[in-house]
Amino acid sequence: MLRPYIDEAKIVDLSEYKKLIEEEDYPDFDEFGERARRYIDSFPWCDGVTDVKVGLFFPGILGVFLVDIETSLPDVDERVWAVIGNLPPAYIADENLDCSNAAKALDGYVGAMFEWVEAVEEGRSVDGVIPVNVPPTKEWAKELRGRLEFIEERILPDYKAFLS
């Protein structure tokens, strides 16, 4: 089983992180954390979720969670990042990316989702790109492009130091 390097200094237990946020944001935080757990647990390579921690959280927008899993498959990471929120969920494994922190995982998510958007906009097949839980239509591509551009312009610039 693989255990990629994760910078633990930037990962926080859900209960500890909840103490740092405004009470009005508790419902989104709890929902996003539970969605991350259920999402990862839904895959056949996951025999069970053992822990969920938060790397990034933006109320009403998205959360990036580090999910520890049990798996009986030798080539599956024991930890994956789950991006959950007001956008298509996805997991980011460390296969070909350096996802040592949540900002890098989010950046990887944005890049992978842009590949899907561009394939749809160009009328190409979405086979071989990240799976997205919406139909591959130009309307959905436009909607997702707007959200990805928001992340690129308004969220990721604050994490430049963690992306290098």
Side-chain angles (χ1 to χ4, degrees):
M1 292 190 208
L2 304 173
R3 192 161 178 94
Y5 170 75
I6 302 291
D7 185 351
E8 295 288 339
K10 296 171 183 68
I11 307 301
V12 182
D13 287 317
L14 296 179
S15 60
E16 290 301 312
Y17 193 85
K18 196 169 179 178
K19 295 175 187 176
L20 304 173
I21 63 176
E22 300 292 328
E23 193 171 328
E24 66 192 34
D25 296 326
Y26 287 2
D28 277 349
F29 183 72
D30 291 340
E31 177 193 345
F32 287 3
E34 182 55 31
R35 282 174 54 197
R37 175 183 297 279
R38 285 193 322 262
Y39 177 68
I40 297 302
D41 199 34
S42 73
F43 289 95
W45 42 259
C46 178
D47 296 334
V49 171
T50 59
D51 197 14
V52 178
K53 295 180 180 174
V54 65
L56 296 172
F57 172 66
F58 300 91
I61 301 171
L62 65 89
V64 181
F65 298 89
L66 182 63
V67 183
D68 291 344
I69 67 165
E70 293 177 346
T71 182
S72 56
L73 301 175
D75 294 333
V76 173
D77 290 346
E78 293 177 337
R79 308 178 108 180
V80 294
W81 294 99
V83 179
I84 302 293
N86 190 10
L87 38 80
Y91 71 87
I92 305 295
D94 211 317
E95 297 163 349
N96 299 312
L97 303 169
D98 170 18
C99 293
S100 57
N101 63 57
K104 288 182 179 180
L106 181 58
D107 189 50
Y109 170 91
V110 169
M113 287 293 176
F114 265 128
E115 289 178 12
W116 183 91
V117 166
E118 291 165 0
V120 172
E121 289 173 342
E122 295 168 7
R124 294 184 284 115
S125 169
V126 294
D127 292 343
V129 298
I130 194 167
V132 177
N133 65 348
V134 296
T137 64
K138 293 194 186 285
E139 294 79 21
W140 280 114
K142 180 179 178 183
E143 179 76 22
L144 183 52
R145 175 178 284 286
R147 292 171 192 213
L148 297 172
E149 288 172 351
F150 176 87
I151 293 168
E152 274 195 325
E153 295 166 9
R154 305 285 303 275
I155 293 177
L156 286 175
D158 290 340
Y159 296 92
K160 281 184 184 175
F162 301 108
L163 295 174
S164 54

